[in-house]
């Protein structure tokens, strides 16, 4: 077992483990730590605890100290300097007519490095821009291209649910999201209905995926034939996933009638495979632009 403390460097960012040493560190306190980028100011999200060594990437870097009042003031100044750096970089980009969108500027705590995050449709040659910025700030400059999901995570906003975006408040990592999840939950396949502020599929489609997969696996498909508990045989007209009920077309006295049954009132051949939510070629073509081809993350490399 090894003693670790979890530290986060930005809102809803990834939590990194450090060696607390003999320091008495409380949850929520600010600390100064050494990272691959330099000296950083972070917030303790996981109080010191014992963890198996195999679950921790070695070697652990130590927590230098608990942040003092002076450190807090330095961090506040850095935040102000980041706003000024953002404006200067924006002017340089506009002056060179570069097709890139500046998202954020970030100083390391010791001011040894200044990072700029941006989005662009393709690859950008920003070597001359780096020279311009280095001449102004007299420190190491790094420009990092990020994806639209990362941009939204940094900037934040309000989702269609009326709440602050999950990625900006508590979602530390992006989970892969697919069109199948929307189909599984019987959602409208209109791109404007299932895409988030970033223009990609909403991350919350992942939240109820397992529940819907389980509930759907207990139901017959539309068009299947079932036998009811009153000894009638009919074709499935529609299903209600959450209520676990099925509407069946049955024939009574030479007349067809639609009746609703609970799942435990029916007998039918169970589904053999989990992947029963198939999309048509037309639907796939329309929505393929929304598919995330992989995880796009800010590589903080702390």
């Amino acid at each position: 077992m090894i003693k670790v403390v979890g530290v986060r460097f930005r809102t809803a960012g990834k939590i990194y483990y450090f060696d607390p040493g003999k320091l008495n560190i409380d949850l929520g306190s600010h600390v100064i730590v050494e990272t691959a980028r330099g000296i950083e100011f972070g917030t303790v999200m996981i109080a010191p605890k014992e963890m198996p060594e195999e679950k921790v990437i070695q070697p652990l870097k130590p927590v230098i100290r608990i942040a003092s009042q002076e450190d807090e003031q330095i961090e506040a100044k850095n935040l102000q300097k980041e706003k000024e750096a953002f404006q200067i970089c924006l002017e340089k980009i506009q002056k060179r007519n570069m097709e890139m969108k500046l998202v954020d500027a970030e100083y390391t705590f010791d001011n040894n490095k200044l990072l700029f995050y941006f989005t662009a449709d393709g690859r950008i040659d920003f070597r001359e821009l780096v020279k311009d910025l280095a001449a102004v700030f007299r420190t190491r400059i790094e420009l990092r291209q990020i994806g639209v999901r990362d941009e939204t995570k940094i900037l934040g906003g309000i989702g269609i649910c009326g709440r602050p975006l999950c990625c900006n408040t508590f979602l530390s990592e992006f989970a892969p999201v697919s069109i199948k999840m929307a189909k599984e939950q019987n959602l409208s396949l209109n791109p404007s209905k299932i895409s988030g502020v970033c223009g990609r599929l909403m991350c919350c489609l992942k939240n109820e995926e397992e529940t819907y997969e389980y509930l759907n696996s207990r139901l017959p498909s539309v068009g299947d034939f079932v036998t009811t508990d009153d000894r009638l045989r009919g074709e499935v007209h529609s299903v209600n996933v959450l209520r676990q009920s099925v509407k069946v077309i049955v024939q009574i006295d030479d007349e067809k009638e639609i009746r609703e049954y609970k799942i435990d009132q029916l007998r039918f051949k169970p589904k053999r495979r989990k992947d029963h939510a198939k999309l048509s070629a037309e639907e796939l073509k329309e929505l393929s632009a929304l598919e995330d081809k992989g995880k796009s993350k800010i590589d903080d490399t702390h």
Side-chain angles (χ1 to χ4, degrees), residues 20-38:
K22 297 181 180 180
L23 294 174
N24 185 18
I25 302 174
D26 297 324
L27 182 67
S29 60
H30 294 145
V31 292
I32 306 299
V33 296
E34 180 186 356
T35 73
R37 299 196 314 186

Side-chain angles (χ1 to χ4, degrees), residues 230 232 250-259 261:
D230 48 7
L232 295 175
V250 295
Q251 188 163 341
I252 303 173
D253 298 332
D254 297 328
E255 290 187 3
K256 288 187 176 180
E257 180 180 331
I258 297 179
R259 292 187 177 183
Y261 296 89

Side-chain angles (χ1 to χ4, degrees), residues 40-65:
E40 293 276 33
F41 180 96
T43 304
V44 175
M45 305 304 296
I46 301 175
K49 67 174 186 177
E50 299 284 341
M51 283 189 67
E53 291 190 24
E54 60 271 16
K55 291 188 177 182
V56 179
I57 299 175
Q58 300 282 6
L60 275 183
K61 293 188 176 180
V63 174
I64 298 174
R65 64 180 180 273

